[in-house]
Amino acid sequence: MKKITIDPITRLEGHGKIEIFLNDEGNCERACLQIPELRGFEKFSEGRAAEEMPRITTMICGVCPTAHHMAASKALDDLWKVEPPPAAKKIRELMYNAFQAEDHILHFVFLGGPDFVVGPSAPAAERNVLGVIGKVGLEVGGKVIEMRKRMRNVLRIIGGKPVMPTCGLPGGVSKQISEDERKTIIEAGEYGVDFCQFALTLFDDVVLKNKEYVDLVTGDVYSHKTYYMGMVDENNKVNFYDGKLRVVDPDGKEFAKFKVQDYLEHIREHVEPWTYVKFSYLKKVGWKGFVDGKDSGVFRVAPLARLNASEGMATPLAQQAYEKMFEILGGKPVHSTLAFHWARLVEALYACERVLELAKDPEITSDDIVTLPTETPKEGIGVVEAPRGTLIHHYQTDERGILTKVNLIVATQNNSAAINMSVEKAAKSLIKKGNVPDGILNMIEMAFRAYDPCHACATHSLPGRTPIEVYVYDSAGNLVKKLER
Amino acid sequence: MKTLVLGVGNSILTDDGVGIEIARQLRERKPELEVIETGESGIGLLDIIVGYDKLIIVDSIITEKGKPGELYKLGVEALKPAENLSSSHGVDIATAYEIGQGLGYDMPEHVSIYAVEIEDNTTFGEKCTGEVEGRIPFIAEQIIKEERL
């Protein structure tokens, strides 16, 4: 047996790779981002029974199993043209919001936190989750873990398992909620609301009172004037579980509002020769390359995009937080990518308030939780707002319900053009006359963390993270610098 | 000593599932062992590993020059990131372990990590690739010997 020490860690494979091409003046001309992608899911699914999809798709993403479970369950509703009873919809939405709250808080504190809480100019060695705990105190770290534990307990109560739920059926859910369970869920919701309010105060104290950080959030480096898409309810308020997809233009004006079943009329996928990642764009505007503005079909999804694409939050405390964010950042829409972190906290508060609302709903313990399908299946489309943006599942089957075609549009694909643009913009702002500062890695990572893109995250191989390598080429195509962690 | 064997991986991503397969073999050969198969990573592992004295993790790895099926033994410190998180949306095992310690959890005192060199963890499939698959029984045996299970 070989005993090895992996240092530097970059000897491992499975990197994200960024290639930067300089022009004759030594300035950045173009940047291309490549992230490891999983392959062959469509083929893997074809020939299986469609009812398996809510369970199988939980295994294709390391952080969003509940989002896939829910999108798949909704696609099955549509496949069998069956409407779940009201209680089943509420149970699903409750579970989904518990998941969203947990994921958002974990992201904010442990992943965004190093940039926000520790500070963008802190030494790299301190800009990690332990630095965050060092700054906010052990007690707060413990609270995050506690909130996560409670929300995961809600997922376990409803979904059967905390990580990979099994409760979604075509037409409803498999298990009702008992009175005792309702009490536990209410307590979790209350804890979550308190914690999110505390997190927003922390954000006020640590981030908004730090001029350097505010300048970075509102500055130009991470700003893109794009379209935004997100799901809204009948009052145009943010909804993660159900509703129509609404798109606003770079001025914040409604551009489209449609049922997910019509997504192909609105969303198209652009392919580039240098990556397997597809780039979603608005069909009615068209693909004009990696550029922003009203004439470019590039749009963004995920927390900030959802807040931009909506007219508010459906719960009172989150609505206050929403109004405050837009007031401080100069009105809607906000184009700064780093504001995704703030929007994530506003959404986490909404998710916890919604958990509480739904848990207190008299109907939530009803035993009328499934409508049995009677139609012959053919085609079904389901959508949810995953933490990282709009997630669409589209299935076609034969008359027995055996899958013949599967298409998934995942959140990161919707953001992929913008992620590339953010990387390029950071490179353009920092690389001048052939001088490539080491700090560029950091700037790129900050853009990354704001979007939190999916990159083969269902892979569990060690070390459990995806380092980024940056390659810089001069105008003649020679490699002039390689940066890595 | 309370010992936990943790098989980590995704059983529908070809070789990524090797840790799970090996854990299953260990359970078969040593039924008295406490063995958990998991698709959890990072912070999620804290829910599982707290309260044990000894933790044996079996996972996969891809190194630059490794040959599929080779087995490595690592300590948790070998997986510590050189600097910060490098934009992954999960924290790694080493960081999760450190967080657990920092928060005063009852973390396992002894941690051995076994990593199997693999070929493919990005294609969907329920079976490991040939070289890796063929080595699973031998690797399980090696771990039993090394850990005196």
Side-chain angles (χ1 to χ4, degrees):
Chain A
M1 192 186 324
K2 262 196 222 173
K3 298 197 180 178
I4 56 166
T5 314
I6 300 169
D7 187 34
I9 205 77
T10 38
R11 269 174 31 199
L12 298 177
E13 298 295 305
H15 295 90
K17 185 171 151 196
I18 290 163
E19 291 180 302
I20 294 171
F21 300 93
L22 306 183
N23 58 20
D24 291 341
E25 286 78 48
N27 298 328
C28 169
E29 178 82 29
R30 212 172 153 213
C32 301
L33 164 70
Q34 288 172 305
I35 42 182
E37 272 282 283
L38 302 181
R39 292 181 302 268
F41 186 68
E42 182 160 336
K43 207 172 150 224
F44 180 82
S45 326
E46 282 167 15
R48 293 173 191 266
E51 304 97 286
E52 283 188 42
M53 292 304 266
R55 288 182 299 276
I56 295 175
T57 56
T58 57
M59 296 177 77
I60 65 181
C61 178
V63 289
C64 291
T66 310
H68 281 287
H69 182 74
M70 211 50 88
S73 304
K74 288 182 73 188
L76 296 187
D77 295 343
D78 191 43
L79 182 65
W80 273 280
K81 306 297 171 223
V82 66
E83 183 80 9
K89 285 188 186 172
K90 286 174 185 171
I91 291 171
R92 284 185 184 176
E93 189 183 347
L94 197 169
M95 176 169 91
Y96 199 58
N97 276 281
F99 156 70
Q100 192 84 255
E102 183 233 333
D103 192 275
H104 271 9
I105 286 298
L106 207 61
H107 184 282
F108 177 77
V109 179
F110 287 163
L111 303 168
D115 293 330
F116 271 85
V117 180
V118 186
S121 57
E126 285 168 29
R127 255 187 301 102
N128 56 36
V129 60
L130 298 163
V132 175
I133 292 178
K135 182 124 183 211
V136 298
L138 258 183
E139 196 195 340
V140 177
K143 274 188 181 173
V144 177
I145 302 278
E146 178 64 22
M147 150 131 184
R148 183 183 156 276
K149 205 170 170 182
R150 286 177 183 240
M151 288 301 165
R152 280 165 82 95
N153 191 35
V154 174
L155 298 183
R156 188 191 54 74
I157 288 170
I158 300 175
K161 291 194 282 183
V163 233
M164 293 178 180
T166 54
C167 61
L169 302 171
V173 290
S174 57
K175 181 179 156 280
Q176 74 180 100
I177 294 176
S178 71
E179 274 304 327
D180 276 355
E181 288 168 341
R182 181 219 288 267
K183 282 188 198 118
T184 308
I185 298 171
I186 289 175
E187 282 167 17
E190 284 167 346
Y191 192 93
V193 170
D194 281 353
F195 184 82
C196 291
Q197 285 181 287
F198 162 77
L200 278 159
T201 313
L202 184 77
F203 187 84
D204 261 7
D205 292 345
V206 180
V207 180
L208 297 181
K209 289 178 185 156
N210 178 341
K211 189 181 175 301
E212 187 190 6
Y213 200 84
V214 173
D215 288 349
L216 197 58
V217 171
T218 51
D220 185 55
V221 179
Y222 294 107
S223 177
H224 302 287
K225 293 186 172 64
T226 61
Y227 288 78
Y228 298 95
M229 184 169 81
M231 195 152 60
V232 292
D233 66 13
E234 62 282 4
N235 299 316
N236 284 341
K237 302 286 164 91
V238 170
N239 196 296
F240 302 135
Y241 170 71
D242 208 9
K244 286 187 176 167
L245 293 172
R246 186 170 192 247
V247 181
V248 297
D249 70 16
D251 298 326
K253 223 174 113 235
E254 182 175 300
F255 175 77
K257 194 173 163 184
F258 57 93
K259 286 192 305 185
V260 69
Q261 281 76 9
D262 300 331
Y263 84 94
L264 288 171
E265 286 171 34
H266 296 272
I267 301 168
R268 280 275 180 259
E269 299 167 328
H270 171 77
V271 179
E272 286 278 319
W274 46 270
T275 176
Y276 291 110
V277 176
K278 291 175 189 161
F279 301 91
S280 297
Y281 65 96
L282 294 168
K283 184 186 167 194
K284 288 177 183 165
V285 187
W287 175 261
K288 309 283 162 57
F290 296 93
V291 287
D292 63 2
K294 229 173 182 168
D295 297 330
S296 165
V298 171
F299 64 96
R300 290 194 275 179
V301 297
L304 179 66
R306 285 191 283 255
L307 266 48
N308 277 336
S310 72
E311 289 178 343
M313 311 304 287
T315 55
L317 296 173
Q319 174 64 22
Q320 280 174 24
Y322 172 99
E323 285 168 15
K324 181 176 174 184
M325 184 187 104
F326 283 115
E327 193 190 313
I328 291 180
L329 293 178
K332 280 172 72 181
V334 166
H335 296 296
S336 173
T337 305
L338 295 186
F340 272 87
H341 293 288
W342 193 347
R344 198 167 275 126
L345 278 185
V346 176
E347 285 196 340
L349 178 56
Y350 161 74
C352 292
E353 284 184 285
R354 190 73 185 130
V355 164
L356 203 49
E357 249 177 34
L358 286 161
K360 288 178 176 173
D361 188 309
E363 210 173 17
I364 203 79
T365 49
S366 162
D367 60 1
D368 183 15
I369 52 171
V370 67
T371 310
L372 290 178
T374 51
E375 299 275 318
T376 304
K378 192 177 171 195
E379 185 166 16
I381 302 175
V383 62
V384 291
E385 283 294 334
R388 288 149 194 85
T390 315
L391 167 68
I392 300 171
H393 280 209
H394 185 176
Y395 311 149
Q396 288 170 351
T397 69
D398 65 14
E399 70 288 354
R400 298 169 300 158
I402 301 298
L403 291 159
T404 52
K405 197 162 184 250
V406 170
N407 186 34
L408 308 186
I409 295 191
V410 300
T412 291
Q413 181 182 329
N414 290 319
N415 266 341
S416 56
I419 296 172
N420 215 76
M421 283 155 55
S422 292
V423 167
E424 188 168 288
K425 204 163 177 183
K428 281 184 172 159
S429 77
L430 285 173
I431 299 177
K432 299 286 177 207
K433 295 182 180 160
N435 178 30
V436 185
D438 288 349
I440 191 169
L441 250 181
N442 208 17
M443 296 294 275
I444 287 167
E445 283 183 352
M446 282 180 72
F448 245 79
R449 275 198 278 267
Y451 294 105
D452 195 18
C454 307
H455 40 254
C457 66
T459 297
H460 285 82
S461 296
L462 296 167
R465 58 181 176 272
T466 306
I468 298 172
E469 288 176 343
V470 176
Y471 295 82
V472 184
Y473 301 91
D474 64 17
S475 57
N478 304 309
L479 180 67
V480 291
K481 189 154 185 170
K482 184 181 170 192
L483 293 164
E484 61 191 2
R485 285 256 193 257
Chain B
M1 191 158 25
K2 209 175 159 202
T3 303
L4 173 70
V5 175
L6 196 63
V8 182
N10 187 336
S11 52
I12 65 167
L13 273 177
T14 311
D15 290 336
D16 200 79
V18 71
I20 304 259
E21 282 301 322
I22 292 167
R24 284 176 187 163
Q25 293 236 348
L26 290 172
R27 184 191 286 128
E28 257 175 47
R29 290 175 203 210
K30 299 278 171 188
E32 69 284 3
L33 261 184
E34 195 158 349
V35 178
I36 295 179
E37 301 164 19
T38 184
E40 280 280 10
S41 49
I43 294 285
L45 291 173
L46 287 181
D47 296 341
I48 306 172
I49 64 177
V50 166
Y52 289 93
D53 305 309
K54 184 176 178 179
L55 172 67
I56 300 167
I57 294 177
V58 191
D59 204 340
S60 54
I61 200 165
I62 302 185
T63 66
E64 219 167 31
K65 289 175 185 149
K67 289 196 189 82
E70 281 181 334
L71 178 66
Y72 314 116
K73 184 179 180 183
L74 321 165
V76 94
E77 66 291 342
L79 295 171
K80 258 189 95 165
E83 280 183 3
N84 64 359
L85 277 173
S86 306
S87 85
S88 162
H89 46 204
V91 305
D92 53 87
I93 290 177
T95 309
Y97 190 82
E98 222 169 327
I99 291 171
Q101 281 180 321
L103 292 174
Y105 288 1
D106 182 15
M107 301 297 286
E109 204 179 317
H110 310 278
V111 182
S112 311
I113 301 174
Y114 289 89
V116 182
E117 182 80 35
I118 56 164
E119 197 179 327
D120 180 5
N121 60 359
T122 50
T123 308
F124 284 95
E126 286 166 296
K127 219 173 164 346
C128 293
T129 53
E131 287 287 315
V132 174
E133 178 80 20
R135 293 262 298 176
I136 290 172
F138 174 72
I139 292 171
E141 206 49 53
Q142 287 278 97
I143 294 174
I144 289 171
K145 269 189 206 153
E146 179 79 12
E147 296 294 331
R148 301 199 181 113
L149 295 173

